[in-house]
Every structure is written in structure tokens, then in C-alpha cells.
Amino acid sequence: MTDWNGELNHARLHVVSGKGGTGKTTVAAALALALATGGHKVLLIEVEGRQGIAQLFDTAPLPYSEEWIAAAPGGGELRALAIDAEAALLEYLSMFYNLGFAGRTLRKMGAIEFATTLAPGLRDVLFTGKIKECVGRTDEHGRYVYDAVVVDAPPTGRVVKFLDVTRAMADLAKVGPIRDHSDGVVRLLHSSSTAVHLVTLLEELPVRETLDAVAELDAADLRPGGVLCNRVRPNRLPARATAAAAEGRVDAEQVRAGLDAAGLRVDDDELDGLVHETIEHAIRVRAEDNAREQLGETDLPTVSLPDLTAGIDVAELYELAEILTEHGIRSPR
């Protein structure tokens, strides 16, 4: 396991992926808050059209503009952007062909939806192009507008294709400004300025998909960042008792004696239920320990985030962000 305080803190683009159901959007939002801590300005981007960021922060659906969404500890600022394919294509046409009026005509004709349906990869080209523009944008003094950009990206099964779509479609434009822009996107995504973080649960299928994603990222020369283990629950058994309980060896009478000593009286059915829960808990703990060992083979920095059983609200996002900052996650200086 490597140190998060090393090269990862030089990245300015943080792409967050994970198997569906692992809490990818929640972790992306918490990471963005962590990166904004200490007076930094961070942009959180979503690309899947679910308005998940707005739901997390309990705000109105995001328009196609960079909206203030939260303050971070230490004077930081978090903005959010939901990229819309149609708006991004109009912006793209205006940028390279000065087709503002023609673009509006195309929208009325439905040509934009037709184009993105005919060439599905075009959506991802537009999205990654907009992300690159946000990362590289500077103010009048030549300083970056955003200290870091966080992307709530597609799930692990699609993230490599999403990130590398511009290189795959590069032959569509051999020369000119579009080709130069495309080359810039590829350089950014394959540089040390970009890190792809993977969200997982300590369960067999999410861990297997995470390991597969690390291999795919390596093969595509994309940089795996950190592994963020979400919804981790504490082990409530002594270490020596866990192995025995996982094998089904729990002394019911010893449990009863311990409860009696604490002034708690239970009947036989209640005792059987407690023993059953103890065995299930120990089996889960052993499986999670095995999952941690598997993830350790990647030699990537790993952070565990607690299971917030009450559900996620804005206050809990700040709690998760604080845990991430305690593990050394911060924006470049």
C-alpha cells in the first residue's frame, strides 16, 4: 500500500468510478469537499444525467452551468456541473466552427439527438472535452480557475472506454483545431495530472470488479489512483473470537453468562438469535478481511469510509470528507 500524500496529491483531475451500488456518487462528493478544504476551489462534475449531485446536496436539479453548491472547511468553495450532451455539442460547434445560430437550428431539428445516437461515443467525446476545458481553464492572471476537478464517472465496467473514447475516435479529425483539442484531452487523461479512484464495498463482486478495473486502467496506460472502501462496518468481536465464531463455534452458555453479568436476561429463543447473529457477523468480518487482502495486492492507497446507517445527508458528506482529509487527501498547492 502506497502513501496518499505522495504523487496523488499532485493530480488536478480526480475521476471516481465504481461498481453500481457502491456509493460512487457519494464518495465523489465527499472527495470534492475534502479537496476544497483549506480555501481551495473545486468543481464536481457528473456525466450520467441522473442529477445525483443535486439529490445529495438537497438542491434543485443542476443546469448546464457551474453552480455554487457548498462551502468547505477553511474557506473552500465547491461548485457543481451536470454536463448535458446537447448543450456540450452546441458549445463544441460554437467553439470550433462559430455555429451558434446554426447550432440552435440543429437543436430544433433534433439533429443533435440524432448525431449522438448515431455515434454513441460522441457523447463521451463531448463530456471528456468539457472536463478538459474545466481543468485547464485559467483566469486573467494565468491561474487555474479550479484547484481540482472531480468527476462522478461511469461505473467500472465502462470507465476505461469513457476515458479513452477520444483517442479511439481521433481519426475522425486528422488535422485542425478539433484534432488539437482531442490530442489535449488524451494528454490530460494519460498524464500524472489525472488519477482514477475506484469505490468498492468489501464484498466479493465489487472487489473483483475493482481488481479488473485496475488491470484495465494499467493496460490502457491510465493511472489508477486510490481505492475507497465504502460502508465499512467495525468488527464487534475480539480478534481471537472471530475465527471460531466464523466456523460456527460459539459457546451459548458463555454468552448467557456474560449477559447475566451485565444484568441482561434473555430467554432461549433470544439467545439462539444472538448466537446466530454472532456467527453471521464473524463470517462477514472474515470475508471483509479476505477482501482487504485482495485489494492490498494492487499496492494502491486505500481508505475505509464508515457505514452511515442513518443514510447520507449533507452533514454526513462533511463527515466523510473529514475522514478523507485525515488520510492526507488535499488539492495541489
Side-chain angles (χ1 to χ4, degrees):
M1 186 181 299
T2 56
D3 186 0
W4 196 290
N5 291 321
E7 293 184 0
L8 284 182
N9 280 336
H10 296 295
R12 296 191 57 252
L13 174 58
H14 298 263
V15 179
V16 180
S17 184
K19 179 176 170 59
T22 58
K24 169 176 65 70
T25 300
T26 298
V27 174
L31 176 62
L33 279 171
L35 291 166
T37 297
H40 296 287
K41 188 175 181 180
V42 173
L43 178 65
L44 175 60
I45 297 176
E46 70 170 36
V47 297
E48 295 184 277
R50 296 183 293 106
Q51 288 291 341
I53 294 171
Q55 293 173 37
L56 273 177
F57 287 92
D58 194 23
T59 188
L62 295 170
Y64 184 59
S65 59
E66 294 152 32
E67 301 292 316
W68 183 96
I69 199 165
E77 176 185 339
L78 179 60
R79 289 182 171 268
L81 169 67
I83 301 181
D84 173 76
E86 181 178 274
L89 180 54
L90 290 173
E91 186 177 57
Y92 204 75
L93 292 172
S94 177
M95 182 185 305
F96 294 115
Y97 292 111
N98 194 26
L99 292 181
F101 176 76
R104 289 190 291 274
T105 302
L106 286 172
R107 178 167 53 189
K108 291 178 181 178
M109 293 171 56
I112 292 172
E113 185 63 29
F114 174 76
T116 55
T117 301
L118 187 65
L122 178 58
R123 288 182 181 268
D124 292 347
V125 169
L126 296 169
F127 292 167
T128 53
K130 180 61 178 179
I131 290 166
K132 183 257 184 186
E133 187 273 323
C134 292
V135 172
R137 192 187 310 154
T138 56
D139 61 19
E140 65 272 17
H141 304 293
R143 294 188 295 253
Y144 287 119
V145 171
Y146 294 108
D147 297 299
V149 173
V150 177
V151 179
D152 178 18
T156 44
R158 205 170 75 80
V159 70
V160 170
K161 184 177 180 181
F162 170 76
L163 293 173
D164 242 9
V165 66
T166 300
R167 183 161 67 175
M169 298 182 71
D171 287 341
L172 293 178
K174 297 289 187 181
V175 294
I178 291 182
R179 180 54 188 256
D180 292 341
H181 180 75
S182 298
D183 288 344
V185 172
V186 173
R187 282 195 302 272
L188 170 65
L189 296 178
H190 288 266
S191 74
S192 60
S193 294
T194 300
V196 184
H197 308 297
L198 300 168
V199 181
T200 187
L201 305 179
L202 292 176
E203 298 173 3
E204 182 178 357
L205 288 179
V207 166
R208 173 46 51 197
E209 195 159 316
T210 297
L211 296 174
D212 290 345
V214 171
E216 290 178 25
L217 289 165
D218 284 335
D221 194 30
L222 293 162
R223 182 189 184 197
V227 176
L228 301 158
C229 300
N230 197 22
R231 302 176 194 154
V232 175
R233 293 167 288 183
N235 181 6
R236 304 190 183 281
L237 293 172
R240 290 181 299 176
T242 301
E247 299 293 337
R249 292 183 280 115
V250 177
D251 188 334
E253 291 309 313
Q254 186 177 0
V255 174
R256 186 192 295 277
L259 292 171
D260 287 343
L264 300 173
R265 301 289 184 267
V266 296
D267 60 29
D268 289 345
D269 287 342
E270 290 171 328
L271 181 62
D272 287 344
L274 288 172
V275 169
H276 181 70
E277 288 181 14
T278 300
I279 292 171
E280 283 192 337
H281 176 77
I283 291 171
R284 177 182 62 77
V285 168
R286 184 169 63 177
E288 290 179 351
D289 288 343
N290 290 337
R292 285 190 183 90
E293 288 183 16
Q294 287 182 280
L295 292 172
E297 295 173 5
T298 65
D299 199 32
L300 296 175
T302 303
V303 175
S304 293
L305 297 171
D307 183 18
L308 301 176
T309 54
I312 295 294
D313 60 20
V314 176
E316 281 148 348
L317 286 175
Y318 281 92
E319 181 181 337
L320 295 176
E322 183 177 357
I323 293 169
L324 292 170
T325 57
E326 288 172 354
H327 280 81
I329 295 173
R330 59 180 57 87
S331 288
R333 294 179 179 177

